Amino acid sequence: LISRRIILIIEDNKNKYKNLEDTLNRVVDNPSIIWEQSRNNGLVAIREHNFINDNELLPFDLVICDNYLPLYDDGWEAEPFGQDIVEEVRERFELTDLPIVMCSSEDVGEFDYNYKIRYDSSVIMDEIFKTIIGDIIAKKSTSNNYVLTKKINK
C-alpha cells in the first residue's frame, strides 16, 4: 500500500465516485478523499487546499476529474468542464506540478492533464492507480522544485 495521500475527486456520478473511492482505499493506505460534484466546487476546493493562506488545509496530492460535469452542484446539464478545470489549475492558479487524472467514460482530447483513464465500471482500476501514484511519488522524489502550493497575493 502507498502511504497517505490527500486526493480530490471531481465527479457528479455517485456510483462512479464510490468505485473510485473503493479503488483508492485498496491502493493507498488511509487516503483522505474529498468529493466534489461540480466544476465550480472542484475549483474552490483546489483553491482552498493548494493555496497557502491562514487555514490548516493540506494540499491535494492528486486530483481525479471527470470530463462531463455540471457547473454547479445542483446543475442538471453536464458539459465538458474537465478541460476547463485543468486550464484553470494550470494557467490561472499556476499549479503546474499538481497531478491531474482525467477519468471519463467518454474519450477526452489532449490537453494539459497528466494521466487519462477510460472509465468502465467493469474494469478493476487498482493496477492503473498503483502505477499512477508510484509515478507521482517518483517524480516528487527526483524533482528539486515539485510545488503543490501557491501563495495567495493579497
Side-chain angles (χ1 to χ4, degrees):
L1 285 176
I2 296 157
S3 66
R4 183 175 172 86
R5 299 273 165 228
I6 301 169
I7 301 166
L8 172 63
I9 299 175
I10 309 172
E11 171 56 63
D12 60 319
N13 180 307
K14 186 175 183 178
N15 292 330
K16 187 172 156 190
Y17 164 75
K18 284 297 298 167
N19 195 346
L20 289 165
E21 180 188 46
D22 292 345
T23 299
L24 292 166
N25 279 316
R26 287 192 301 268
V27 172
V28 179
D29 184 29
N30 192 25
S32 176
I33 300 170
I34 309 290
W35 179 31
E36 296 297 348
Q37 299 176 60
S38 66
R39 173 212 177 267
N40 288 1
N41 283 5
L43 287 172
V44 166
I46 293 167
R47 185 170 171 81
E48 287 176 349
H49 280 260
N50 291 71
F51 281 76
I52 301 168
N53 52 29
D54 296 333
N55 69 32
E56 298 297 316
L57 297 173
L58 294 170
F60 292 117
D61 297 295
L62 175 64
V63 174
I64 300 168
C65 185
D66 186 16
N67 196 35
Y68 282 86
L69 297 160
L71 190 59
Y72 304 100
D73 273 1
D74 57 359
W76 290 99
E77 201 169 328
E79 294 184 37
F81 285 122
Q83 181 170 355
D84 185 52
I85 290 171
V86 172
E87 287 172 0
E88 288 280 310
V89 167
R90 299 294 189 236
E91 293 166 23
R92 192 163 70 93
F93 294 173
E94 298 178 345
L95 293 168
T96 55
D97 292 334
L98 179 61
I100 300 174
V101 177
M102 292 304 299
C103 185
S104 185
S105 51
E106 315 268 323
D107 190 36
V108 295
E110 296 299 320
F111 47 96
D112 201 12
Y113 52 81
N114 303 86
Y115 308 94
K116 176 169 64 173
I117 296 173
R118 185 76 178 259
Y119 179 80
D120 178 341
S121 60
S122 67
V123 174
I124 297 171
M125 297 179 287
D126 295 37
E127 291 305 315
I128 296 166
F129 275 103
K130 279 182 192 170
T131 301
I132 288 171
I133 292 171
D135 186 50
I136 291 166
I137 290 168
K139 282 180 184 168
K140 199 172 182 178
S141 66
T142 58
S143 173
N144 294 331
N145 56 350
Y146 190 86
V147 180
L148 291 178
T149 56
K150 290 279 182 191
K151 281 195 183 297
I152 291 181
N153 296 325
K154 299 208 177 192

